[in-house]
């Protein structure tokens, strides 16, 4: 497929969505498409993209089990790609390790609130994490509050209550973040960067991970992953109903 060089490629003024595919069914496709269309409207990308484009692509490239569908949209381009799913059951049993990035999340930037191709901070920090043997970097904002992981949203648990940073703290509202908020009682709350020790558990969400328990943050081992793993299992049960 021939690509046209436009502002999406020159300046990152484009968008993408990463969608879990389960037995050739795109999970929460309508929600992904709605977010994509809202961002297209914000960035004035005037292109018609509907659900049929995704369904037709999957029909031509069928695969069993879990895989990944990535959509990239710029002013002059629309690209769909199929990728392998890499996470394993053992990842959820072991849990992820987190470490603070020294890059601050800019809560005043519109790029923070949309899934754009201007994604360099996230990718570079994710690669540094792999080299340092931890799973996910997280960002604080200019006021010192938690925002999000490089590719995930953050949830904190204490006394069986779930908390998550508010969207205006500087984060992308993930599809799975919204799913958790819709299915459980969640309080949006600013959490100071050094207050993680006040919480019993932390878990991460994104469309591919689903719900991932966290075992440690900045070298501090959390007291439990039990409830987070239970939530992971509940989400997997939801996938089984699709």
């Amino acid at each position: 497929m021939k690509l046209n060089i436009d502002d999406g490629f020159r300046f990152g003024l484009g968008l993408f969505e990463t969608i879990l595919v389960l037995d050739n069914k795109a999970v929460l496709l309508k929600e992904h498409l709605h977010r994509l269309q809202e961002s297209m409207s914000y960035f004035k990308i005037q292109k018609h993209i509907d659900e049929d484009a995704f369904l037709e692509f999957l029909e031509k490239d069928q695969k069993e089990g879990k895989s990944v569908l990535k959509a990239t949209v710029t002013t002059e381009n629309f690209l769909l790609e199929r990728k392998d799913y890499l996470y394993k059951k053992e990842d959820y049993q072991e849990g992820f390790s987190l470490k603070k990035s020294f890059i601050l999340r800019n809560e005043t930037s519109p790029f923070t609130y949309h899934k754009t191709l201007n994604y360099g901070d996230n990718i570079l920090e994710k690669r540094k994490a792999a080299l340092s043997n931890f799973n996910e970097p997280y960002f604080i904002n200019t006021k010192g509050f938690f925002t999000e992981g490089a590719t995930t949203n953050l949830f904190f648990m204490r006394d069986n209550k779930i908390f998550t940073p508010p969207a205006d703290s500087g984060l992308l509202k993930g599809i799975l973040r919204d799913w958790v908020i819709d299915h459980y009682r969640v309080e949006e709350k600013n959490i100071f960067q050094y207050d993680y020790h006040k919480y019993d558990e932390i878990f991460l969400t994104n469309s591919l991970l689903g719900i991932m328990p966290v075992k440690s943050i900045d070298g501090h081992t959390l007291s439990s992953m039990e409830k987070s793993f239970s939530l992971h299992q509940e989400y997997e049960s939801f996938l089984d109903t699709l």
Side-chain angles (χ1 to χ4, degrees), residues 64-201:
E64 293 183 358
K66 289 182 179 180
S67 60
V68 179
L69 177 62
K70 183 174 181 180
T72 304
V73 181
T74 66
T75 303
E76 298 184 27
N77 300 282
F78 174 50
L79 176 65
L80 291 173
E81 305 170 84
R82 193 75 167 264
K83 297 179 178 294
D84 292 335
Y85 183 85
L86 301 178
Y87 298 109
K88 301 175 183 177
K89 290 183 179 180
E90 293 80 8
D91 296 325
Y92 298 89
Q93 294 167 344
E94 182 177 350
F96 266 21
S97 55
L98 308 184
K99 187 175 181 181
K100 183 173 72 176
S101 168
F102 290 99
I103 297 174
L104 296 179
R105 183 59 87 220
N106 182 3
E107 66 269 27
T108 70
S109 170
F111 290 101
T112 297
Y113 302 97
H114 298 271
K115 202 171 181 70
T116 75
L117 300 181
N118 203 312
Y119 210 65
D121 282 348
N122 303 58
I123 297 303
L124 287 176
E125 290 301 282
K126 190 76 173 177
R127 290 175 179 174
K128 284 166 60 177
L131 293 174
S132 300
N133 294 316
F134 65 95
N135 301 107
E136 179 79 347
Y138 68 88
F139 299 101
I140 61 171
N141 64 18
T142 61
K143 299 175 182 177
F145 294 115
F146 279 93
T147 61
E148 61 184 351
T151 60
T152 57
N153 288 121
L154 298 165
F155 289 83
F156 299 76
M157 299 184 68
R158 182 175 60 209
D159 300 328
N160 290 319
K161 296 179 181 179
I162 304 175
F163 305 89
T164 195
D168 61 7
S169 66
L171 58 87
L172 174 70
K173 292 196 293 183
I175 301 302
L176 254 291
R177 178 184 185 273
D178 288 346
W179 188 92
V180 170
I181 290 173
D182 288 344
H183 286 78
Y184 301 97
R185 184 174 295 178
V186 178
E187 178 183 339
E188 292 188 295
K189 175 184 178 181
N190 280 313
I191 299 173
F192 189 59
Q193 59 178 310
Y194 299 120
D195 285 348
Y196 54 76
H197 66 278
K198 296 180 180 180
Y199 295 88
D200 305 317
E201 297 191 33

